[in-house]
Each structure stands twice: as C-alpha cells, then as structure tokens.
Amino acid sequence: MVSMPEVTVTRTDVSEARERLAAARFLIVDIELPEEAPADADADADADGAADAGGTADSDGEALARQLGLEADDLAWFGRKGEPARADFLGKKAGFVIPVVHGDQVAYIHALVTERFLVTVHRGQAGLASNITAQLRHESPPDVVAVLFLLLQEALATFRRAAVRDLLLAEELEDDMFQERRPEQVYNLSKLRRRSALLHHSLLPYLQAVDEVFTRRMLNPKFPEERQRLAQEFQNAARLVLTDIESLQDASRRAYASYASLAAGEQNGVINRLAIVSTIFLPLTFLSGFFGMNFTYLTDELESRVVFWLLAVGLQVAVLCVAFYVLHRTRIWRRLRDEDQVRDEDQG
C-alpha cells in the first residue's frame, strides 16, 4: 500500500490493509491475486512496489471486498476473473475494470475509488504499481481522484506503446517485402493484424463506458472544475490512442495488400513467361506433328532434299520469326526484362 501525500510504500497483509483503509484519509492499495486459484481460496496478502496485497474473491466477487472492510452490496464484480471492461459511478464511490497491455496479452485491473482511498486488484504481474509509484513521487497528486486519473492515463499509455511499436514493425515488414518477399512475412503480418484487432476490441468498449460516465458527471454543475479538466485530458488522450490503434490496423491491412500485390505480380511474370514459351513452341509443335503423319502424299511425294529443307527447316524458321515479331510488337518480352531489372536493382 502507499500512504499519501508522503508517498510511503508499505508491504503488508490483508488484515493491516483493512485497518489502514478504515483509518487513513489518503491511501492507495494494490492487490495482486494469483493468476490461477480456486474460487474459495483464502486471502493471501503480498504487497510489492506501490502496494500488493494478495487475496482471492469468491464466485460473486464480494469476499474480497468484505476482507478489506468495504461495502460489498454492489461489488460482486470486484476481483472476479473474466470481468469485462466497465466504468460505474456507485454513489460515493466509482468502480472501473481497466484494460492494460501486458506483454502480448491484454489484462484487466479492477479499481475502486472513493474520496479517501483507491483500491486496485489484478491477477499476476499485470499491475501498474511501480509506474504509478514513480509518478506519485514526481507529481504529488492532491487527492485520490487525481491518482485514479494517473492510473487511467498509464493504462492508456500501455496501449499507445503497444500500438506504436507494432506500427513500426508493420512498416518495417512492408519495406522488407519490396526487398525480398518471404513466406514468414505472411505469418508476421497475421500476428500484427490479430494484435491490432485485440487492442481495438479491448479498448473501444472500455472507452465508451468511461466516456458515458465522465460525460454524465461533467454535466453535473457540482462536479469540480479540476476534475472536469482531468476527465477532458483523459478523453483527449483516449481519442489519440484509439487513432494510433486504427493507424496500426490500416498499416497492417496495407502491408497485407502489398504482399498480395507482390505475389500477384510474380504470378503474372510466370504467366507471361509461359505465354512466351507457348507462342514460340506451339506452332513448332503443330508443324512437327503435322509433317510426322504418315499420309500417302507426305511419304510418297515429298521425298527430295530441297523439299525437306523448305518444309522441315525453312517453314519452322519462318514461324519462329513471326513469333518473335509478335512478341516484339506486344512488348511482352521488354516488359519482363524491365521488371527483372527493377527487381535486381531493389535487391541490390
């Protein structure tokens, strides 16, 4: 837990955290639950950084709230595994389920805030305790609500960093494709597309819920001006992060389209080469097959050496000349040669 405003970090257990929550006027408690635990397991306190006290909520999420001495009537969701993103104003307190990017996955932090304390719950190492603690020492927020907005902003920052990193990866992949197209690039692009979809699907419902709550609160004339400013800053930052994620989606789609275009171009080159071969050898195949037939006229009348050279050699040479002339007029050969030169220059 973190005692404010002196920013004193204390490693404690659930019982002491409950006593401090009842007495302190400005307290932050971060609870780390095990990633996999039975629903009826006993509370296990373990604080680290900004504050880590471990406990386990039962199936309706109320046991954890009771262990901390909180009113559990409307906290069935608090600490419950698999709870979707949410933002609720609960009279004298507010509850949030905040998505954060943790490694390659999206985890969720449960937050409960009142005028006196902020309690966050997360599973595993997905919390933001160390980052928030560093910000508390530098910014010295005046109250618990300001700390909540620090938490919300830091959660947004995890999405921003993930989106920008993946956007750069998508651009690098697209550049590499034009140098040399490789099969593993399709796999990497598929991962980026799935990741962009995960970020978008995780963040958008949460932002919609938070916007609804903040907009309703800002319409209240009793809502303090400073908190209105914090809410507006969060909403502006959220729109920017959502734009970054949408840019990532566009970049991954564009890179995928570029890969498909390059593959189609290579297939067109193969088809054009097959067309050239067919143009040259199809007439020759016809002539050789025609004069190879055992008709009486061919076997009895066309016996001289002159006729052999005229038909067997001269006619095929004439056909080849006509084929090359057709290829030259249609510019297929020249186009293939230019494409090969451009590809060699790019790879060089």
Side-chain angles (χ1 to χ4, degrees):
M1 71 179 70
V2 182
S3 300
M4 297 294 293
E6 61 273 13
V7 193
T8 302
V9 180
T10 307
R11 183 185 181 93
T12 184
D13 56 16
V14 168
S15 59
E16 184 176 350
R18 176 172 180 165
E19 295 175 0
R20 295 290 298 274
L21 283 172
R25 297 180 57 85
F26 194 167
L27 187 67
I28 304 166
V29 177
D30 182 61
I31 302 173
E32 180 178 321
L33 300 177
E35 295 185 7
E36 297 293 339
D40 57 350
D42 295 333
D44 181 19
D46 184 19
D48 187 12
D52 296 328
T56 303
D58 58 11
S59 59
D60 61 4
E62 296 177 352
L64 179 61
R66 292 194 184 97
Q67 291 167 2
L68 294 172
L70 306 176
E71 297 179 3
D73 294 339
D74 50 2
L75 297 179
W77 56 272
F78 191 59
R80 184 165 56 191
K81 188 174 183 180
E83 190 70 17
R86 66 187 294 151
D88 293 328
F89 181 68
L90 307 171
K92 295 182 179 181
K93 55 182 178 289
F96 298 84
V97 178
I98 308 166
V100 296
V101 179
H102 181 64
D104 292 332
Q105 303 295 327
V106 174
Y108 288 89
I109 296 177
H110 297 203
L112 183 67
V113 60
T114 69
E115 294 291 342
R116 296 190 304 106
F117 58 80
L118 170 66
V119 180
T120 61
V121 179
H122 58 89
R123 294 185 178 273
Q125 299 295 323
L128 303 174
S130 58
N131 295 342
I132 296 299
T133 303
Q135 294 186 36
L136 292 177
R137 290 193 174 98
H138 288 91
E139 301 189 18
S140 300
D143 54 22
V144 179
V145 177
V147 178
L148 171 67
F149 279 100
L150 283 179
L151 174 65
L152 298 180
Q153 291 282 8
E154 182 59 28
L156 279 181
T158 63
F159 280 87
R160 181 186 298 110
R161 289 191 290 267
V164 171
R165 181 194 61 192
D166 290 346
L167 179 60
L168 295 176
L169 288 176
E171 293 177 348
E172 291 176 0
L173 270 175
E174 189 172 12
D175 291 339
D176 291 341
M177 290 175 197
F178 291 99
Q179 299 294 330
E180 182 182 0
R181 189 174 63 87
R182 299 185 299 274
E184 61 268 19
Q185 292 167 343
V186 178
Y187 173 73
N188 293 331
L189 282 176
S190 299
K191 288 177 59 178
L192 288 177
R193 291 187 65 177
R194 289 194 300 270
R195 185 172 173 81
S196 65
L198 174 64
L199 296 178
H200 190 266
H201 293 168
S202 302
L203 185 62
L204 186 57
Y206 162 70
L207 294 184
Q208 290 175 339
V210 172
D211 276 344
E212 181 179 350
V213 171
F214 284 174
T215 301
R216 187 168 62 249
R217 293 298 297 160
M218 286 188 291
L219 292 177
N220 188 339
K222 296 181 180 180
F223 195 60
E225 182 177 348
E226 177 62 20
R227 295 182 182 179
Q228 288 189 17
R229 182 186 64 81
L230 293 174
Q232 290 173 352
E233 289 180 355
F234 171 82
Q235 290 175 324
N236 293 334
R239 283 190 287 269
L240 293 176
V241 173
L242 197 59
T243 300
D244 290 337
I245 294 176
E246 291 172 350
S247 298
L248 171 61
Q249 290 181 309
D250 293 338
S252 60
R253 294 191 190 102
R254 185 180 63 247
Y256 222 96
S258 298
Y259 187 92
S261 178
L262 290 173
E266 293 181 4
Q267 291 177 354
N268 289 336
V270 172
I271 293 173
N272 288 335
R273 286 175 172 82
L274 291 176
I276 291 174
V277 172
S278 299
T279 302
I280 294 173
F281 286 98
L282 187 59
L284 300 180
T285 303
F286 171 75
L287 289 176
S288 61
F290 179 79
F291 287 104
M293 297 179 183
N294 293 324
F295 292 120
T296 303
Y297 179 80
L298 293 177
T299 57
D300 296 341
E301 301 295 334
L302 303 180
E303 297 180 348
S304 66
R305 184 176 299 177
V306 175
V307 174
F308 168 77
W309 285 104
L310 287 176
L311 295 180
V313 179
L315 188 59
Q316 297 198 28
V317 170
V319 171
L320 283 176
C321 293
V322 172
F324 286 130
Y325 176 76
V326 171
L327 292 174
H328 176 73
R329 293 292 296 177
T330 56
R331 299 181 180 178
I332 296 177
W333 206 317
R334 186 181 305 173
R335 185 164 58 250
L336 287 175
R337 184 182 60 188
D338 294 341
E339 290 177 357
D340 290 339
Q341 290 178 353
V342 171
R343 188 178 298 109
D344 292 339
E345 291 176 359
D346 291 339
Q347 292 179 357

